[in-house]
DNA sequence: AGCGTCACCCGGACGC
DNA sequence: TGCGTCCGGGTGACGC
């Protein structure tokens, strides 16, 4: 569930308690949590490294350490918290980083989809990701070019991390609704004004969600408020905020997809 | 290139 | 109440 706005919020919250801390050791309770390198090597290599900074790339958290880069993908149900080592253990905390100051960073993940990576460079893991939609370099023209250079339905295209990084099911539906574009519309058929509308709605939707500290659904991610601002996502049968028509739910590429049949014509 | 399908997981919803 | 079953969702692998 955590998409770009949720990951961005977590990154901002983790900086104060993590940056400058030395990782004395890591505990891996579930070895498959470590995607790269093997769990044993991960534990050996990370010990003694200091957290120099935390950034985000797509849906990955990127911890710059003194020697390596630690990347964490939360997938569906992952969450990261910094607590005192005295805090009662969490049965879903499959990987724990023990800091020198008596606190620990816990990667808690009920559904066990999330993964941690230790690499020399972030690119070793995130190299295939598409552009960051909120970067200054991601212009309306860049999006128009992406849309023109493929012939693909908008919904799966927005979800493809190698095309644009960080957009998931919620913000794909919300952006398409705001841009008044049908999720099955083929990318290369968009007029310049429509591509610009999608660019604007993507940036607006993501920025607004970051301002609301992301969306909390499925009890997975708790701090967000953006779920109260959904216009289409998870609102099947409820009125479209723009026209009042009932929001419809279809399945596109196996993913639940919500849109307004009146505002978003094919 | 793009699409469909499966696998990975488990909590929650649903049906009986 | 309790049990069995299904679903969802991010992504990578794989086949068409």
């Amino acid at each position: 569930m955590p998409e770009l706005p949720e990951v961005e919020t977590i990154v901002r919250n983790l900086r104060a308690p993590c940056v400058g801390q030395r990782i004395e050791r890591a505990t891996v309770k579930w070895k498959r949590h470590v995607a790269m390198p093997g769990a044993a090597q991960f534990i050996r290599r990370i010990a003694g490294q200091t957290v120099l900074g935390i950034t985000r790339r797509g849906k990955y958290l990127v911890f710059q350490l003194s020697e390596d880069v630690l990347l964490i993908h939360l997938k569906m149900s992952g969450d990261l918290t910094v607590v005192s080592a005295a805090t009662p253990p969490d049965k879903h905390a499959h990987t724990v980083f023990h800091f020198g100051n008596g606190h620990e960073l816990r990667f808690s993940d009920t559904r066990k989809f999330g993964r941690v990576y230790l690499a020399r460079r972030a690119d070793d893991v995130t190299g295939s990701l598409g552009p960051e939609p909120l970067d200054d370099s991601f212009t309306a023209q860049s999006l128009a070019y992406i849309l023109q250079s493929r012939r693909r339905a908008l919904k799966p295209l927005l979800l493809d991390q190698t095309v644009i990084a960080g957009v998931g099911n919620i913000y794909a539906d919300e952006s398409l609704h705001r841009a008044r574009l049908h999720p099955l519309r083929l990318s290369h058929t968009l007029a310049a004004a429509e591509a610009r509308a999608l660019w604007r709605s993507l940036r607006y939707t993501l920025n607004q969600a970051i301002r609301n500290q992301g969306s909390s659904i499925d009890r997975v991610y708790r701090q967000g408020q953006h779920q109260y601002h959904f216009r289409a996502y998870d609102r099947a049968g409820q009125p479209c905020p723009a026209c009042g028509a009932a929001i419809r739910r279809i399945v596109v590429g196996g993913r639940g997809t919500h849109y307004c049949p009146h505002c978003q014509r094919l």
Side-chain angles (χ1 to χ4, degrees):
Chain A
M1 196 296 281
E3 304 179 21
L4 187 156
E6 292 77 31
V7 176
E8 179 67 29
T9 305
I10 292 170
V11 164
R12 293 179 184 185
N13 290 340
L14 287 180
R15 281 192 183 120
C18 293
V19 173
Q21 296 303 320
R22 177 184 150 98
I23 300 170
E24 300 296 335
R25 63 194 175 89
T27 308
V28 176
K29 293 171 185 164
W30 192 63
K31 292 198 187 325
R32 291 178 64 176
H33 230 210
V34 181
M36 174 201 286
Q41 205 186 333
F42 179 90
I43 290 167
R44 194 178 331 119
R45 252 169 70 181
I46 205 168
Q49 298 202 41
T50 297
V51 180
L52 303 180
I54 313 176
T55 55
R56 179 190 60 72
R57 178 77 174 96
K59 301 174 192 174
Y60 289 85
L61 290 102
V62 182
F63 294 72
Q64 183 60 55
L65 308 181
S66 28
E67 301 296 329
D68 290 314
V69 182
L70 165 70
L71 295 101
I72 298 183
H73 198 304
L74 302 170
K75 292 283 177 81
M76 296 296 303
S77 56
D79 196 14
L80 291 165
T81 51
V82 178
V83 294
S84 156
T87 307
D90 167 359
K91 72 167 180 174
H92 296 299
H94 306 301
T95 297
V96 178
F97 303 90
H98 307 268
F99 291 152
N101 68 349
H103 282 59
E104 53 193 39
L105 170 65
R106 294 178 177 177
F107 183 3
S108 177
D109 183 13
T110 50
R111 294 183 193 171
K112 293 183 168 179
F113 275 86
R115 292 292 183 266
V116 299
Y117 308 74
L118 196 62
R120 295 294 180 203
R121 297 170 302 115
D123 237 31
D124 298 342
V125 176
T126 61
S128 61
L129 292 181
E132 284 293 324
L134 296 182
D135 271 5
D136 289 344
S137 58
F138 186 76
T139 63
Q141 286 69 32
S142 358
L143 179 61
Y145 177 78
I146 287 170
L147 296 170
Q148 285 302 317
S149 59
R150 349 214 150 198
R151 35 184 63 227
R152 198 170 176 189
L154 292 175
K155 176 71 186 271
L157 182 137
L158 288 176
L159 292 181
D160 187 335
Q161 302 299 297
T162 69
V163 176
I164 299 171
V167 180
N169 210 31
I170 295 174
Y171 300 107
D173 282 1
E174 292 295 292
S175 299
L176 289 171
H177 180 272
R178 195 173 279 280
R180 302 173 61 89
L181 291 166
H182 194 286
L184 290 176
R185 180 78 178 277
L186 292 178
S187 58
H188 66 286
T189 69
L190 265 64
E194 292 176 310
R196 199 175 314 118
L198 182 55
W199 174 78
R200 198 177 298 127
S201 72
L202 253 181
R203 309 247 300 190
Y204 182 88
T205 303
L206 293 171
N207 278 319
Q208 193 77 342
I210 290 172
R211 255 175 255 130
N212 288 319
Q213 301 188 78
S215 307
S216 304
I217 54 170
D218 203 17
R219 306 174 185 206
V220 166
Y221 169 84
R222 295 165 185 284
Q223 61 199 320
Q225 298 293 309
H226 194 69
Q227 66 275 20
Y228 303 122
H229 303 273
F230 287 164
R231 298 161 60 90
Y233 180 78
D234 204 24
R235 292 192 66 243
Q238 297 176 53
C240 167
C243 77
I247 295 292
R248 193 169 291 170
R249 181 185 191 276
I250 57 175
V251 175
V252 178
R255 314 298 308 284
T257 297
H258 314 77
Y259 74 103
C260 171
H262 179 256
C263 298
Q264 299 167 266
R265 305 284 180 91
L266 197 50

